[in-house]
């Protein structure tokens, strides 16, 4: 058996705290989670309290019962909690990667132009987008429809529909979340 390092002990304690915290957050008793994970109540109690060794097969079962993944249950990287944006001044963009899902990104954009008049300038590509208007009013053209999105309102849509976003009568600022496919579609087109 390999000697346990301080880091291993910290991870062990962290995982045990997470199991308990996730159980309590669901409003489940020890008996509830033990039943879902096919463990005895006493075994689960000993796992949570550090009196029983953490076994990989039990962690996988507990993660599944808690509706999470093994990776999330044992994740330790909290060093990079604060992330600085990548700034694209030419397009008025700030972009942040989403660490928990590397395929997603968050973009803040200041817009000063109305949406294009020409439907041929609307984009369509695989993916989904979500946006919230931080200030001003945005116009979302989606297929043949036109949506007015005011400050603090949000929109979510499949990007396979031809779409374009612009302003309504003055500058606006939006925060958008792009899944992997939507982000790739915009990168290929040279946009945000």
């Amino acid at each position: 058996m390999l000697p346990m390092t301080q880091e291993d002990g910290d991870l062990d304690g962290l995982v045990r705290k997470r199991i308990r915290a996730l159980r309590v957050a669901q409003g489940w008793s020890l008996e509830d989670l033990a039943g879902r994970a096919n463990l005895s109540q006493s075994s689960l109690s000993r796992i949570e309290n550090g009196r029983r060794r953490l076994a990989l097969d039990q962690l996988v079962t507990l993660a599944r019962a808690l509706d999470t993944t093994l990776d999330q249950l044992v994740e330790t990287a909290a060093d990079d909690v604060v992330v600085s944006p990548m700034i694209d001044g030419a397009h008025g963009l700030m972009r942040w990667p989403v660490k928990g899902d590397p395929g997603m990104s968050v973009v803040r954009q200041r817009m000063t132009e109305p949406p294009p008049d020409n439907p041929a300038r609307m984009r369509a590509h695989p993916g989904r987008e979500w946006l919230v208007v931080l200030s001003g009013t945005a116009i979302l053209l989606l297929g043949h429809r036109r949506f007015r999105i005011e400050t603090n309102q949000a929109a979510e849509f499949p990007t396979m529909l031809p779409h374009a976003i612009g302003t309504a009568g003055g500058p606006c600022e939006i925060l958008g979340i792009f899944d992997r496919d939507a982000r790739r579609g915009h990168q290929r087109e040279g946009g945000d």
Side-chain angles (χ1 to χ4, degrees), residues 2 23 81 91 101-102 119 180:
L2 295 171
R23 176 179 62 77
V81 170
H91 294 100
D101 185 345
R180 171 176 285 136

Side-chain angles (χ1 to χ4, degrees), residues 5-32:
T5 66
Q6 177 67 38
E7 189 175 293
D8 292 336
D10 292 346
L11 175 59
D12 184 86
L14 178 65
V15 170
R16 292 173 193 280
K17 287 177 185 170
R18 281 188 183 144
I19 291 168
R20 177 174 166 62
L22 288 168
R23 176 179 62 77
V24 170
Q26 294 284 354
W28 295 341
S29 66
L30 279 167
E31 184 180 7
D32 294 332

